Each structure stands twice: as structure tokens, then as C-alpha cells.
Amino acid sequence: MRRREFLQKAGVVAASATLSPLMFAKAQNTLRWELVSSFPQGLDTIFGGGEDFARYCNEMSGGEIEVTVYPAGAQVGGFEVFDAVASGAFQLAHSASYYFVGRRAAHGMFTSLPFGMNAQQQIAWIEVGGGQELWNELNEPENLIAFNSGNTGVQMGGWFKREINTPADLQGLSIRTAGLVGEVYAKAGANVQSLPGGEIFLALDRGAIDAADWVGPYDDEKLGLNNAAPYYYTPGWQEPSATLCLYVNLDLWNGLDVRHQSIIQNAARSANTRMLANYDSKNGAALQRLVESGTEVRTFPTEVLDTFRQNWNEVNAEKAAADPFYARAVASYEEFMASVRGWHDTSEAAWHRYVYGG
Amino acid sequence: MRRREFLQKAGVVAASATLSPLMFAKAQNTLRWELVSSFPQGLDTIFGGGEDFARYCNEMSGGEIEVTVYPAGAQVGGFEVFDAVASGAFQLAHSASYYFVGRRAAHGMFTSLPFGMNAQQQIAWIEVGGGQELWNELNEPENLIAFNSGNTGVQMGGWFKREINTPADLQGLSIRTAGLVGEVYAKAGANVQSLPGGEIFLALDRGAIDAADWVGPYDDEKLGLNNAAPYYYTPGWQEPSATLCLYVNLDLWNGLDVRHQSIIQNAARSANTRMLANYDSKNGAALQRLVESGTEVRTFPTEVLDTFRQNWNEVNAEKAAADPFYARAVASYEEFMASVRGWHDTSEAAWHRYVYGG
């Protein structure tokens, strides 16, 4: 597609000779953009990240940047948003990088890695630890650029129809999960299924699967997963945080002036802050409701977590061996994690030990 | 001061008849504002929060909002910024709400409370838990409005020239600290001194004080505190996080259009994210350097922490009894904290237990 056609398709409003000079100046810079979300509207917190982004853009640009937000399925499927924005069919997407590990495994670490960093640490790596630059390098050949725009915090380990007391209990377990986590479960002998959020409840309720991980109390309650399985496992070793992201078509991004780029980037950053705050605000009450209605919270035994960790180390090594970029990026991730964990072990963790007990 | 004079003093550039229409439209909205920081330029991370804010404002407004940042002492003293912005002498300040507990104790909880929330939790309370509305209510009679614009994360408990093994070791201890924390130490029999950052090293080195708390490894190393005391205590019970804030003159804020308000608020939010990321990025390496050069990290014994907590509960109750607003605001704070801790005990803390040990 030639640039002029592309920009027209991309919703840059052409200036008209009939406008007055002031209106001209305004209209010349007006962007009417469409954002396709990977999330259903009913999950108000995660879908709401895209709406927050749109509102901040509109406010900060004085209406120059108008973003219409579409839930998953309204224009394209939740997992099709990457291609839809790369091709220029849509200008923006709100999604999660790790949905695209099938394309290249390195997309995983920009959302979450098993046994990886929590929200505060992951945000720090992206913001100032070199993560953003690596992410740009990964997305550039796809004609995309991505920014943090949401985080769930530490997730739960998932819903199980039976207790997991030893690694042997994972043999033959049929579980719904996502991304590289599936490979970790597969190494433990589980059968892994990939299902969209809207199909999890029925599969779990009818026994087509024995377990499922989704997000955390507030979202899982909305899907009704507590009515389909009794045991709710912690900690969420598979997603110690999950970063949602804003994808922008790179050609379009490169054509923006610094002002619009800055508004978009800061709007995404604000949406990030708001989503994490919303989850922290809502999950407490949701967890309490779940427990009061009969959900049994269980902690994965250390032996089971150690098995997951060993399997993850193997998966991680395989991905690094297969892709030099993955190897380089995960080295940055792990180096940053080691440093920040050294600090948090002395600070955050010491504080947790006193507040929450050992 | 009458409104017109005030706005002129406040740096709103008056439109000139000699400007062309387009330049007119631009100049009419140009704000040349000055920000007074409570922090010295040498502490690049905390002072840098004000600079980040200024840069984001400038970028997102296309140069319409120009903010000049002055370090503590360049225009007014670090603790004088509250009055300087309330009066309209300056438009903006970058500071910490708890510096102003002498004016009203309730200013404390918008930075940090002893045994209170960590950074992620505190941000959530302000953003979506009702904290911002209470903060607005507190600041409105002062002709100010404030927004989160920086966070240090969990701080360290401070530097001590001798070990603290029992509550009795606090008797007669001479310590530099800030805000309501001083009252907690005083109840334990310590002598509390309030010193600006730049005076701490000499006082500690010469033995005028026995202990001092400042921020954390990166900033404390810059002040050279490790050369004045051997023991570095954790956890930072006195500041499980510390929120820095942007103060805006309220008259001026109310005169802004939604676009400029939104740019300022989102620039502050971005500065908040960046500062926490910077601390998490820098503290790990700084802590390692400190330990390698002989600093001995110590954990406050549980008995000592319990004493601090009991004393804090008394101070907190006294403040609530003395000011109905404090009572109402701290009830909101504590209710939010109980809910988010219920969630984090099951999620973040469970994760910490596996990653960092019990």
C-alpha cells in the first residue's frame, strides 16, 4: 500500500480547502482511529484498559485523537488483532504480547514469564531496564510498536476439580492454559487445551477439562469458574504478573509528530496504572465472596512448584537455543530480575514476612 | 490578589494584538510555569520526577506547557514549597505530602503511613479507592490540588551506629527521621531530630545522632550514610512506600481547560511510574555495592517491630481523635488496606514465600 492511501485508510482526516485557517490547523491533525481489543466487554477491568486509553487520548489531545474501541469479535477475533494492526486494517489493538508466542516465543516475556517478575518489576524492566528497546526490536519487522497498557498483578494458579498434592497428580490432567505455560504442563504429563475465555466455564463444568487458569478472583468469578471447580490454587507461578499492551501500526506511528506520540505513549502508561489499581481494588472483595460461597483456596506444594520450575527451565532453554533474539532478550530479563530480586528480597519480601507471616 | 493579576503573575501569557491568528491561538494557551522541588538536584531519581513531569507536559502539549524545574533552595526551601504554591508565588511543586503533617496530620497518609500500604497498594488507594477524593478535600482549603508523581517503593529502616536487639535499645537513641514516625520513636524513648537530607551525613558521622532514616540504597549511598554507620536495617516499617506528589495551585488549576488538566494529571502519573521503575532499577546494584563495601544488613527483631507497631497504633488513634477528617480518611485507608492485603496475602505474598523463602 502506498503511503498516501495508507494514511487515508488509517483515518487521518484530509484537510479540506473549505475550512477556515484555524479549523484547518485543527482538522489537519485529527486522527479517527479504531482499536480492536482481545478482550470481551463483559470483563470490564481488562477490556476497560482500552477504554481508559481512548479517553486519555481524547482528553489530552483536545479531541484531536478519537479512538473507537471494539471488543473481541466485534471486528476481528481476539487473537487476530496482531495481524489486523500490522496490516493497517486497524490502527490500534489492546492485547497481550504472549498471545503471539506461536509466531515467535520471545513475545511471551513482554507479558509474563513463568517464575518471572511481578508487576512492579516487569514494569521497571520495560520502562528503564532495556525491555522497551528489545520489544521494539521484536515488533519492528512486524510493522508494529507496543507499549505497556495494563497489568493484572500476580494471577492465581487456576481452578482444579481435584487436589494437586504431588507432581504425579499432574499426569493426565486436562488443563486449559495459554502460551508457554502449556509446554510446562505438557512436560509434567498434562494434556493442554487452548480455549478462549468464553468457552472455559462449559468445558470445566462438563468435565471436558479438569482444570483451567484464567486471571484472578474478579475475572474468574465473572466467568463463573467457581461454580465449575472447587479448588483455587495459588501462587500464580505461571503468571507472576501479566502485562497487557497497546499495539500501534508502526508506519502510522512513525508518521505522527512528537506530540501525538507522547500523548499515545502516556495514555497507555496511565491505562497501565489504572488497570493494576482496579485489579487490586476489586480482587480482595471478589476473593472474599468466592471463599464465602465455598471455594477452597489451596497452595501448590513446594514439590509441585519445583517440578513446574524445572520444566520451565527446560522450555526456556529450548526457546533460547532456537532463537538468538529470545536468548538475548531473556538474558536481559533475567539479569534485571536478579538485580531487582536482590533488592526486593531485602525490602519488599522482608516487609511481607512481617506483615503476612513467613 | 485579584484573578487577572494572579493569572498574569502565574505566567499565563497574554495574547498580543500583533500576533497572527494562528500564533494567537497558540500563544493564548501557552503556560510558562515554574515548579519548585523539595529535593536537591544531586538526588537524581527523586528530583528527576519533577523533570520527567515537565518533559511529559512539554511533549504532550506541543510546547504549550513549559515547566521550569528548580531544586530545593534555588527559589524556596524544600519545606516551603507548599506555601509557595498555595499563595500563587509558584504554580507547581514536587514534594511529599507528609512533609506537611505539622500543618495537619492527615497529610501523612497521602505519602506513607507506618505499617501501611506498599507502593502498588498505595497507588491503587489514591487512583480508585477513594484516596484522591479525600486528598482533594484536604488540600482544597489550602488552595492546592495534588497528584501522585513518584514513589520510592519500600524504604529501608535506616542506618544505625549500633545494633537494635530489643526495644530497650531504642531508649535514648538519637535518630533523624521525618513526620509521624518521629512520634513513634519518641514513644519508644528515642530522641528525634528533624534534619534536611544534606545535613544527615555530618550529624551521623560526628555522632550528633546515632541513627538516621532517609530513603533506600541508591539515595543513601549518594549521601554517604554508609560511611557514617555500619548497620542498615530492614524492613522499612516506617515507610512501606513513599509517594511523591505534584502540587498545583488550585485557582490556576480550576482555570485550565480539560485538555491541560488531563495533560498535567497524566504527566504526573507517568512520572510516578518512571520514578518507581528507576528506584527498582537502581537499588539492587546500590545495595550490592553497599554490602561489598562493608555495610551490614540487619532485620529488625519482631519484638522491636511489634513495639513500633503498638506505638504507631497509639499515635494513629491520637491523630484520629484530634481531627475528624483524619479519622474519616484513615478509615478509608485502613479499609482499603485490609481488602488489598487479603488479596495480596493469597497472591503476592504466596508468591514471595516461594521465590524468597519464608
Side-chain angles (χ1 to χ4, degrees), chain B residues 10-62:
Chain B
V12 174
V13 178
S16 154
T18 62
L19 295 173
S20 76
L22 271 171
M23 290 172 70
F24 178 91
K26 175 87 190 282
Q28 201 173 35
N29 281 317
T30 296
L31 308 177
R32 297 216 175 84
W33 280 8
E34 294 178 311
L35 181 152
V36 282
S37 174
S38 290
F39 310 105
Q41 201 152 11
L43 296 178
D44 60 321
T45 305
I46 201 162
F47 176 76
E51 294 182 310
D52 283 346
F53 165 78
R55 192 176 66 255
Y56 295 135
C57 282
N58 194 287
E59 284 176 2
M60 290 195 284
S61 69

Side-chain angles (χ1 to χ4, degrees), chain A residues 234 266 270 280 306 344 346 354, chain B residues 234 266 270 306 344 346 354:
Chain A
T234 190
N266 284 290
S270 280
D280 275 334
D306 288 344
H344 282 181
T346 299
Y354 181 71
Chain B
T234 190
N266 284 290
S270 280
D306 288 344
H344 282 182
T346 299
Y354 181 71

Side-chain angles (χ1 to χ4, degrees), chain A residues 69-293:
Chain A
V69 180
Y70 296 104
Q75 298 282 347
V76 295
F79 297 152
E80 295 163 15
V81 303
F82 188 98
D83 287 330
V85 176
S87 71
F90 292 87
Q91 297 82 38
L92 302 164
H94 190 237
S95 188
S97 180
Y98 74 170
Y99 287 153
F100 311 106
V101 291
R103 185 179 295 261
R104 215 165 152 189
H107 286 288
M109 71 188 79
F110 300 97
T111 301
S112 176
L113 284 185
F115 298 96
M117 293 191 266
N118 73 4
Q120 189 174 315
Q121 298 165 347
Q122 175 88 20
I123 292 166
W125 178 59
I126 298 283
E127 287 280 349
V128 303
Q132 183 69 55
E133 292 74 13
L134 288 161
W135 205 5
N136 292 352
E137 192 179 334
L138 177 66
N139 283 319
E140 195 276 337
E142 308 276 6
N143 196 31
L144 291 170
I145 188 166
F147 303 105
N148 280 355
S149 69
N151 202 300
T152 64
V154 178
Q155 300 202 352
M156 289 293 283
W159 297 87
F160 290 74
K161 290 179 91 82
R162 56 177 198 259
E163 289 188 90
I164 304 297
N165 295 313
T166 74
D169 294 332
L170 300 168
Q171 289 286 340
L173 183 86
S174 197
I175 183 167
R176 183 273 173 199
T177 186
L180 302 177
V181 178
E183 299 188 37
V184 175
Y185 268 104
K187 278 184 188 281
N191 303 316
V192 177
Q193 301 202 25
S194 174
L195 295 172
E199 296 178 24
I200 299 174
F201 171 77
L202 270 186
L204 191 60
D205 193 49
R206 292 180 180 175
I209 53 176
D210 308 310
D213 97 73
W214 180 238
V215 177
Y218 183 76
D219 284 350
D220 293 0
E221 184 188 39
K222 278 188 174 278
L223 294 189
L225 302 185
N226 53 312
N227 298 317
Y231 301 111
Y232 200 20
Y233 270 86
T234 190
W237 60 272
Q238 83 289 2
E239 299 192 35
S241 72
T243 301
L244 292 314
C245 70
L246 176 83
Y247 282 111
V248 189
N249 176 284
L250 185 59
D251 281 340
L252 207 53
W253 174 261
N254 288 335
L256 295 177
D257 61 19
V258 170
R259 180 166 69 94
H260 283 172
Q261 286 185 344
S262 183
I263 287 174
I264 288 170
Q265 197 168 354
N266 284 290
R269 202 183 265 123
S270 280
N272 192 65
T273 297
R274 294 288 290 191
M275 191 192 294
L276 186 56
N278 275 318
Y279 273 114
D280 275 334
S281 166
K282 293 172 175 177
N283 273 330
L287 179 63
Q288 204 171 340
R289 286 192 301 272
L290 291 172
V291 169
E292 281 165 5
S293 66

Side-chain angles (χ1 to χ4, degrees), chain A residues 16-75:
Chain A
S16 153
T18 62
L19 295 173
S20 76
L22 271 172
M23 290 171 71
F24 178 91
K26 175 86 189 282
Q28 200 172 37
N29 281 318
T30 296
L31 307 177
R32 297 216 175 85
W33 280 8
E34 295 179 309
L35 180 152
V36 282
S37 174
S38 291
F39 311 105
Q41 200 152 11
L43 295 179
D44 60 320
T45 306
I46 201 162
F47 176 76
E51 294 181 310
D52 283 347
F53 166 78
R55 193 176 64 255
Y56 295 135
C57 281
N58 194 287
E59 284 176 3
M60 290 195 284
S61 69
E64 276 181 20
I65 304 179
E66 290 178 15
V67 178
T68 305
V69 180
Y70 296 104
Q75 298 282 347

Side-chain angles (χ1 to χ4, degrees), chain B residues 173-179 181-186 190-194:
Chain B
L173 182 87
S174 198
I175 183 166
R176 183 274 172 198
T177 186
V181 178
E183 298 188 38
V184 176
Y185 269 105
N191 304 315
V192 178
Q193 300 201 26
S194 175

